[in-house]
Amino acid sequence: MSEQDGDFAFRSDSNMGRWHEMTYGGVTSFLRRRYSRDLSDVDVAVTGIPYDCAVTYRPGCRLGPRAIRAASVQLAELKAFPFGFDPFDMLSVVDYGDCALDPHHPGSIAEAIEAHADQILAQGTKLLSLGGDHFVSYPLLKAHAKHHGPLTLIQFDAHCDTWEDDGSRLDHGTMFARGVSEGIVDVASSTQVGIRTHNDADVGIEKLTAPWVHRNGVDAALEVLRSRAGDRPVYISFDIDCLDPAFAPGTGTPVAGGLASWQALELMRGLEGLNLVGMDVVEVAPAYDHAEITAIAAATIAHDWLCLVARGQERQGAAT
C-alpha cells in the first residue's frame, strides 16, 4: 500500500489530484476533496447549507449535504464520464464544510448564508453549494450578484418559486420573485427548466416546462438556454425535484412528470462554454430516498458542473 492511500480529505497537503480511496470507507467529503478553509489558489469551494425551515411540505433536506457527500464516493474513483479526464488535475477544489446556522433565530439565516458566501467569493473562489431547501438560493444569489452584477439564472425545478413575496418571508417558493424584484436576477436572459406546476403570476423568466422538454428534446432546450444566456454570468440552481419522483423520490415536494436523470445530465453537460459563476443543488431529503438514487443524482449533477468549470479553465489556459 502507498502512503498516498485513503483519507485524502484530511491527510493530503494538496488541493489538486486525488489518492486511492476505498469507496466503502474513509471520510465522506464531497468527491473526497480536502477539507480546508484556506482558499489560497483554490478555484472552487464546495459547501453545505444545512437548512430546511422554509419548506412547505416534507422537511428533512437539512441532511442533504451529508447525503450528497456520501453519495459522491464512486464519482471520485474514476476519470469523469463523459469528459474523460480527472477534473482535479486542472482544478483546485476543497470541501469548505458547512455554513454555521442558528435555526432558533430565523431572522439570522439569510444574513448568515450571505456572509458565508461573501467570505468565499471575496477571495476569488467559485462556490458550489449543497442544500438545504431552495430558500438558500436567495442569499447565495445576493452574494454572487455583488461580485458579478445581475445574474442569468438557469433554474432546474418542478416549481417556478416566483409566488407572491412580501420581501421578508423565509419561503422556498417565493425567493426568486424577490430576486427579480431586487434586480439580482436578469429576467431577459434567465430560464426555468422542468416546470410542471402552475402560477398565475409571471415575472418574465422564460419557462421550458417538463412536457415541453419531453416533446421537443434536449437539443432544442439547450438552444434556448444557451442563446438566452449568451456570455452573461450564469448561476445554476438545481432543485432535485426537477427530476421525476421515479429518479428522485428523496425530496420534499415531489411532482409527477419530471425530467429523467439522463435528460438533466445531458442538459447540464450541454452548458459547457457558458460563463458559469456559481451553482447550488438543493432539496435532497434523504429520509425519503431509496438506495441513494436521489443523492447519487444530486452528486453527479454537482460533479458535472465542476467538470464544466475545469474544462473552461483548461480552455482559458490554452488560449493564454
Side-chain angles (χ1 to χ4, degrees), residues 35 58 71 107 112 115 133 136 145 147 157 169 181 183 189 200 225 243 247 270 278 281:
Y35 275 113
R58 305 189 304 200
D133 70 45
V136 307
H147 296 269
D157 210 321
R169 60 192 294 119
S181 70
S189 60
D200 286 333
L225 290 167
L243 303 184
F247 302 93
V281 183

Side-chain angles (χ1 to χ4, degrees), residues 243-262:
L243 303 184
D244 189 85
F247 302 93
T251 191
T253 49
V255 182
L259 301 189
S261 53
W262 74 264

Side-chain angles (χ1 to χ4, degrees), residues 131-151:
D133 70 45
H134 214 161
F135 174 79
V136 307
S137 295
Y138 168 66
L140 292 171
L141 282 167
K142 284 187 70 177
H144 281 81
K146 291 177 189 175
H147 296 269
H148 302 286
L151 299 161

